[in-house]
Amino acid sequence: MSIFGFFNRKTSAPQARERLQILLAHERSSVGHSDLVALLREEIVAVIAKHVQVDRDKVNVKMDRGDQVSTLEVDIEIPLDASVRAA
Amino acid sequence: MAKVIVVTSGKGGVGKTTSTAALGAALAQRGEKTVVVDFDVGLRNLDLVMGAERRVVYDLINVIQGDAKLPQALIRDKRLETLHLLPASQTRDKDNLTSEGVETVMAELRKSFDWIICDSPAGIERGATLAMRHADIAVVVTNPEVSSVRDSDRIIGLLDAKTARAERGERVEKHLLLTRYDPARAERGDMLKVDDVLEILSIPLLGIIPESMDVLRASNIGSPVTLADTRSAPSLAYMDAAKRLAGEQIPMSVPGEKRGFFGKIFGRRAA
Ligand SMILES: Nc1ncnc2c1ncn2[C@@H]1O[C@H](COP(=O)(O)OP(=O)(O)OP(=O)(O)O)[C@@H](O)[C@H]1O
Ligand SMILES: [Mg+2]
């Protein structure tokens, strides 16, 4: 490896870190809490649908495990013209 | 009051058995009565690492099945009279490890020991869940490498769900033991840093054990690394970790980061 190669070489640890963060966020929401998360998702969709029209696939519910507390992240995408009440 | 510790990881070969022996010996050196229990039925190795392989007569399964009384199966260490080993069975099927049997043995060990350290088998199957079942404290052994970190995350989830404490609505105290840490590789940016692993797993750090030939040497002579060479880097790191388990406040040192200027130059050249 040339001396320039040595200085320009990208290190691999940051990639490892990033891949793990994404993967584990996903795995934590699907493993263990799966029943609870699925249930919450269904009920949240039902409540939202009473007031606005939303696409079921645009409702994301995620559980993140922390040391002291877990956080529930709810991310709902509402289309521009959906501020109208559902029928 | 007796404390039950499980040394666990999910992934195999990360240093659970090495750590069980090293922490067990370090706690026993403090004069506290300690037993290390091998849960790796069929693949026992703790006896070998402890140098007691030729003294095994009865094992955990014999005790569970009533073929032997607990005191008959316990092997007292030749170097430290406060240190004991309860070996696993090498020949019996692991189905003989029953949930009730393990519960009875753990309750009995709690009566006569200060520290009960359970060496978990790899994986997330029955052997591993039984080893963690009665734990008050978990030492999650992790290497700074993607698959080990992922498996540790899985194990942390199990500790919060499948243990007797979790079922009673109590918490298992969880600690991260980062092993086989290579300061030179971390410095080059090709190994996850201590902070990366801590941030991802979000459990408190118990210690950082450097990758070292001293570990291999100790296992060759059948001695926990904390007894083989009390001055070696892994030995010092394990002794600090044991003190932290016992509740002492010991500042954390990252292997390789205390080196002075000359040490650094020398270390780079050697790497
Ligand atoms: N800090 C270290 N430096 C160098 N080698 C190490 C270190 N820790 C462990 N090892 C080596 O790694 C190998 C696996 O260690 P060990 O048997 O303790 O792992 P384990 O997690 O118990 O494995 P298993 O999952 O198979 O039970 C052994 O050869 C051991 O000597
Ligand atoms: Mg082992």
Side-chain angles (χ1 to χ4, degrees), chain B residues 190-232:
Chain B
D190 282 329
M191 193 177 67
L192 285 166
K193 292 217 166 57
V194 178
D195 286 342
D196 293 340
V197 182
L198 279 177
E199 191 195 324
I200 293 166
L201 294 178
S202 62
I203 57 172
L205 183 63
L206 182 68
I208 308 163
I209 315 297
E211 170 79 21
S212 164
M213 279 295 293
D214 294 304
V215 171
L216 213 61
R217 264 197 286 272
S219 72
N220 283 342
I221 62 169
S223 168
V225 68
T226 41
L227 288 184
D229 178 0
T230 49
R231 308 273 298 275
S232 71

Side-chain angles (χ1 to χ4, degrees), chain B residues 5-8 15-30 32 34-36 46 49-50 80 83 115 117-118 137-141 175-177 179 206-207 209 224-227 234-246:
Chain B
I5 302 177
V6 63
V7 178
T8 183
K16 293 180 291 297
T17 302
T18 303
S19 301
T20 302
L23 292 173
L27 287 168
Q29 274 175 304
R30 299 166 55 90
E32 289 157 39
T34 305
V35 60
V36 290
L46 191 55
V49 172
M50 300 281 294
L80 270 178
L83 182 59
W115 298 100
I117 311 184
C118 305
I137 302 171
V139 171
V140 180
V141 180
H175 299 273
L176 178 72
L177 188 63
T179 59
L206 182 68
I209 315 297
V225 68
T226 41
L227 288 184
S235 172
L236 292 171
Y238 273 122
M239 283 193 279
D240 278 356
K243 286 183 194 155
R244 293 185 191 107
L245 276 176

